[in-house]
Amino acid sequence: MQLRVLTLNIWGVHYIAKFINRRIEALIEHLKHSDTNYDIVGLQEVWSKRDYIYLRDQLKTIYPHSYYFLSGLVGSGCCIFSKYPIIGTYEHRYSLNGFPHKIQHGDWFCGKLIGLCKILVNGYIVNVYNTHLHANYHHVIPEDIYLGHRICQAYELIQFIESTSGADTTDFTILLGDLNLTNDDLGFKLIEGILQLNDAFYKRINKNVFDPTVGNSGRTCDLLDNPYVKPHPYQGEGERIDYILYRARNDNMKCIEAYPTLHKVPNSSNGLHYSDHLAVYGLFEIDETIPRKQTKPLDNMEIADEKTRNNLRAACIIVEESIQRLQRDRIFFGLGVFILVLILFSFNGNLNSHGYLLTIATVLKDILCLIGISISIWFIVLGKPAERNALSSIRNAMNIRLRVPHFIH
């Protein structure tokens, strides 16, 4: 039995992304084409529910089963289309997802999550997970201030998959999506090492099969020849951050082909591209003759190799550094409140004895000070403590896995 899987970040940010409607139409035309025969399609950054409904209605004859993961203010952006029945869904919204005052990045307003669709494929239960982790904005911020958040998201992803893909209820596990992690990043090493997932691109058997319009490097984002990518000093030649990862309960699943695809839209007169990312395609072969293995008891499950344990220890250090940064942030906002209060009650004078413009300037100063004080108090009392609790919770969970009896709060 063969299973064909596709994942694509469609860059569906309305009013910012270019040619959204035309690119969605091109994607629909591709998915409907007789030469394409995907069984499961996972999409990210479908931020508009109207876009999802349009995709669903246009593709329902080919993919009668689909699901959109609703979350947050503007949604999760993640959805799954399947030729096979979806028999169950579950989702977990990440507890950390950026900062509300970083409006230009926007991640905090999105309900980023890991979503699960349990799909029944010819009698096999396939857990398909779709996710989109926090961006690192390395092209804007050389120092990655979101590293701690992305590490925590990666660990929550690990916990969620562990909790929902038990060997007695799941035959195959497939994780797809935009992880915003290269395969050298610590978060990816944790996902791959702890969950024992296989990277389809590296584990593929036919390594010489690839999309000739893309090449065989595996890179999926920040490509130099993509017109939707803004050049930046840290760009390089692109990076691989979109994945299909998999594992099989009985080691009876092999990846035959896997490669990036869907770059330029064919026969487009104006150089239309499907997205600022490339899609990733995977062809899997399932051997139905291999008997089922006996499951391993959960109480004996530990991290087998020292390399993964060291990676987890390194992740603990990063999370701890993020917690210490929070303490500095609270001090900073506290000093901000003190300074703003001084300014609020200074330079006022007698408004009746001054001119019209000075009165307006004084009122405007007071309003801005009150706004700054309110925002700073919110961060001190609510925002930063909530972030600290989320970071500490993940750090404590990591300590449990490392068998370190240490509680952080």
Side-chain angles (χ1 to χ4, degrees), residues 376-388:
S376 297
I377 290 176
W378 183 88
F379 273 110
I380 294 170
V381 177
L382 297 175
K384 294 302 175 180
E387 185 182 357
R388 179 186 175 87

Side-chain angles (χ1 to χ4, degrees), residues 129-172:
Y129 298 89
N130 191 2
T131 192
H132 184 194
L133 300 190
H134 196 295
N136 61 20
Y137 300 103
H138 60 278
H139 57 289
V140 179
I141 309 172
E143 183 181 352
D144 189 359
I145 61 174
Y146 298 111
L147 179 59
H149 285 208
R150 210 158 45 254
I151 289 290
C152 287
Q153 287 182 346
Y155 198 77
E156 286 184 80
L157 180 152
I158 292 167
Q159 291 177 307
F160 183 76
I161 293 180
E162 281 184 324
S163 301
T164 56
S165 62
D168 55 339
T169 60
T170 306
D171 294 298
F172 306 106

Side-chain angles (χ1 to χ4, degrees), residues 92-151:
H92 170 72
R93 183 177 175 181
Y94 296 123
S95 56
L96 289 168
N97 192 40
F99 309 112
H101 61 290
K102 297 289 184 180
I103 299 173
Q104 72 276 23
H105 295 161
D107 291 75
W108 188 84
F109 301 96
C110 307
K112 288 192 174 178
L113 50 66
I114 175 170
L116 161 65
C117 282
K118 298 182 81 71
I119 301 176
L120 187 62
V121 181
N122 294 345
Y124 291 99
I125 295 179
V126 183
N127 278 14
V128 180
Y129 298 89
N130 191 2
T131 192
H132 184 194
L133 300 190
H134 196 295
N136 61 20
Y137 300 103
H138 60 278
H139 57 289
V140 179
I141 309 172
E143 183 181 352
D144 189 359
I145 61 174
Y146 298 111
L147 179 59
H149 285 208
R150 210 158 45 254
I151 289 290

Side-chain angles (χ1 to χ4, degrees), residues 208-221:
N208 293 324
V209 176
F210 57 91
D211 185 339
T213 66
V214 173
N216 202 16
S217 67
R219 291 188 286 266
T220 64
C221 186

